Amino acid sequence: MYTAIYARQSLDKKDSLSIEGQVDLCRAEAADEFKVYTDKGFSGKNTHRPSFAKLMKDVESGEVEKLVCYRLDRISRSIMDFGMIWETLNQNHVEFVSINEKFDTSTPVGRAMLYIIMVFAQLERETIAERVKDNYYQRVKKGAWPGGPAPFGFRIAQERVAGQKSLEPTPEIEIVKRIFNMYAEAGASLGKVAKTLTEEGIPCARRTGWDGVSVGRILRNPAYAKATEAIYAYYSAKGAIIYNDVSEFTGKFASIMIGKRTSNERKYTNMQEHLLAISSHEGVIDGEQFLTCQFRLDNNRQVKNTGKGKLTWLSGLLHCKECGYSLRVIEDKQYTRKYLSCSGRTNLHICSAIHTERIEDVEAMVESFLIGNFSTKQSFLTAEDPGSKPQDKWVGEVEQIENKIANLIEALASGNDVSAQYINTAIQKLDDEKREVLNKITSAANTVRTDTIAYDFSTLDFEAKKKTAAAVIKNVLCSPWGIDIKLR
């Protein structure tokens, strides 16, 4: 057994003791036989370090009798992490010595001091993190670029504005302008824009190339738009925290938004945790065109699939387990087979899953699940028989509302600054009405009778199985390795 010396240094700084210096100080506490473990360029916020991982492996194998380090934070800055490390050391009867704090865990006082110091170490780390966050927000409020990579089509300018970092356009900004132009056209979609850019070999900031996510991220970023009063009204209606007064939204400079991203940026409806502030760089996209794209993204909500497919009684319920988008069954008559196609892969180009599962196998697993969970002779709720379909009327209402929204968006281009706010309010009201109608359509599609019928599921015909599945199952998540069935 031997004494282990551990040293870590994240960055070379004048006021930071080098790894060599740490090791020299620790040798005085080491026995005749010792082994040195070092990690250079790694932070102490977690324990994901190669040499430290090797050290803990040697501890667990019983090779280490004492662990010596220069300071406690060389091991970890997290109480939770160190608690797990200390438990491992205890279980393997390994003593711990910190040179700087001058304590030894072989004594009760040393162990008590260890926990006290760890509390203050974590407090220091959290205080630093909070200070960094505050500085980040303060830079945005001053109109500066807060940090991190510049948005696609921009770079961080070498000359500072009022002592702060700012953005300046690059030649790729023309690609950004084209994206906004393409998406603003009638009938455009994120998938179509991404496909066009990919086919033409247009370079993308992402290594994986253009897809609906990368296009949507550009369209959602107010750093490209000339900040007008209409944009102020739009984000205000969304609930964003706006730092500047509406009078500062003059249509010359762009704006910067920071805050937690949602899992799907194309569908968020409120931004209570987002801060918007006028930037020091000028916008390159007209405010009206930017808003046209925003309303189209906001209203890009499809009517739920009502399951009219004839190739499987699970029509409308199948979804890709990887990306969550719907799966449809395609029949290849030449080879007399059916296969699954993911819309996230074929339409939006955001999914890499390749579905090899047979729809017959998926149906068999779902049928077995239903019989096993509800018993063979179970009173299932069955979907209402098709008769009069109010959905058809509501779908027409959705189209009328969308036409009204489109007309109001066009009015934004010719309206003055005063009318812009009222137009945005009207658009928001119409959007709320549209969502109510969409909810009616969804509810009607899932309507079930209050009376139940007892039957053997395996003996039902195609249409009866479809109605029953729609009434009982929320969705079926598919992958080549199995399925997950979510009940209503």
Side-chain angles (χ1 to χ4, degrees), residues 22-217:
Q22 295 176 42
V23 173
D24 288 341
L25 291 172
C26 291
R27 281 177 179 168
E29 289 289 336
D32 293 337
E33 186 177 355
F34 63 88
K35 185 175 180 179
V36 177
Y37 301 80
T38 63
D39 282 310
K40 190 166 186 177
F42 290 88
S43 171
K45 65 181 180 181
N46 57 53
T47 58
H48 303 314
R49 291 165 254 146
S51 290
F52 185 79
K54 178 66 170 59
L55 166 62
M56 297 310 295
K57 185 177 180 180
D58 292 344
V59 167
E60 293 174 349
S61 64
E63 299 178 30
V64 180
E65 63 178 355
K66 181 189 287 187
L67 172 58
V68 182
C69 69
Y70 167 64
R71 271 177 50 174
L72 187 60
D73 62 3
R74 300 301 88 192
I75 298 292
S76 176
R77 293 181 182 273
S78 166
I79 290 179
M80 182 179 297
D81 286 343
F82 191 83
M84 297 174 64
I85 296 167
W86 175 236
E87 186 67 25
T88 301
L89 296 178
N90 266 334
Q91 290 175 355
N92 293 277
H93 309 290
V94 177
E95 297 177 9
F96 178 70
V97 177
S98 173
I99 302 297
N100 190 67
E101 287 89 4
K102 301 194 181 300
F103 65 80
D104 187 336
T105 57
S106 62
T107 66
V109 174
R111 288 191 291 272
M113 287 297 297
L114 171 68
Y115 288 115
I116 293 172
I117 291 171
M118 279 304 301
V119 168
F120 282 99
Q122 179 153 332
L123 175 62
E124 180 184 11
R125 185 169 69 90
E126 293 176 353
T127 301
I128 292 173
E130 191 68 27
R131 187 161 63 245
V132 169
K133 180 181 177 181
D134 290 342
N135 290 337
Y136 186 81
Y137 275 76
Q138 285 301 317
R139 287 195 292 270
V140 172
K141 291 177 180 179
K142 292 179 180 179
W145 180 246
F152 181 77
F154 284 111
R155 65 186 171 205
I156 299 175
Q158 293 182 350
E159 294 185 9
R160 300 197 171 199
V161 178
Q164 301 288 339
K165 291 182 179 180
S166 185
L167 298 177
E168 62 182 14
T170 65
E172 284 79 15
I173 201 66
E174 297 302 320
I175 301 174
V176 173
K177 293 178 181 179
R178 188 180 174 198
I179 289 173
F180 276 93
N181 289 334
M182 285 193 292
Y183 192 72
E185 295 177 357
S189 69
L190 296 177
K192 289 180 180 179
V193 174
K195 184 178 180 180
T196 299
L197 296 173
T198 301
E199 290 177 347
E200 295 182 7
I202 303 298
C204 178
R206 298 178 61 178
R207 292 182 180 179
T208 55
W210 293 104
D211 55 23
V213 174
S214 57
V215 173
R217 186 164 294 168

Side-chain angles (χ1 to χ4, degrees), residues 14 51 65 112 126 132-133 215 262 314 400 441 460 473 476:
K14 293 181 179 180
S51 290
E65 63 178 355
E126 293 176 353
V132 169
K133 180 181 177 181
V215 173
T262 58
L314 289 172
Q400 293 178 7
I441 295 174
L460 297 179
I473 299 174
V476 180

Side-chain angles (χ1 to χ4, degrees), residues 234 236-239 267-270 295 298-301 394 397-398 401-402 404-405 408 423-441:
Y234 171 79
S236 178
K238 290 286 186 182
K267 294 186 179 180
Y268 63 73
T269 57
N270 59 73
F295 288 121
D298 291 343
N299 296 320
N300 187 19
R301 178 177 175 181
W394 291 329
E397 290 184 17
V398 170
I401 293 174
E402 288 180 340
K404 291 179 181 178
I405 291 176
L408 287 174
I423 294 174
N424 275 282
T425 303
I427 291 174
Q428 185 65 47
K429 184 177 179 181
L430 285 171
D431 185 57
D432 292 339
E433 292 179 8
K434 177 185 172 183
R435 293 180 187 280
E436 290 180 5
V437 178
L438 286 170
N439 289 334
K440 289 181 181 179
I441 295 174

Side-chain angles (χ1 to χ4, degrees), residues 360-407:
E360 294 85 355
D361 295 335
V362 175
E363 288 179 335
M365 286 187 281
V366 174
E367 182 170 320
S368 176
F369 173 85
L370 291 176
I371 293 175
N373 282 270
F374 294 97
S375 77
T376 304
K377 296 287 187 178
Q378 173 66 38
S379 295
F380 287 101
L381 289 174
T382 59
E384 186 176 351
D385 293 329
S388 58
K389 296 182 180 179
Q391 297 98 307
D392 296 338
K393 174 185 175 182
W394 291 329
V395 169
E397 290 184 17
V398 170
E399 293 176 353
Q400 293 178 7
I401 293 174
E402 288 180 340
N403 289 334
K404 291 179 181 178
I405 291 176
N407 292 333

Side-chain angles (χ1 to χ4, degrees), residues 230-246:
I231 288 180
Y232 176 94
Y234 171 79
Y235 284 112
S236 178
K238 290 286 186 182
I241 301 171
I242 303 179
Y243 176 73
N244 304 87
D245 185 75
V246 64

Side-chain angles (χ1 to χ4, degrees), residues 306-323:
T306 55
K308 294 181 179 180
K310 299 296 182 182
L311 298 178
T312 175
W313 47 267
L314 289 172
S315 178
L317 302 177
L318 301 171
H319 293 265
C320 175
K321 195 172 183 178
E322 179 171 324
C323 69

Side-chain angles (χ1 to χ4, degrees), residues 331-342:
E331 185 176 26
D332 188 337
K333 295 183 179 180
Q334 181 180 357
Y335 297 98
T336 63
R337 66 185 180 92
K338 301 173 185 176
Y339 62 92
L340 298 176
S341 175
C342 173

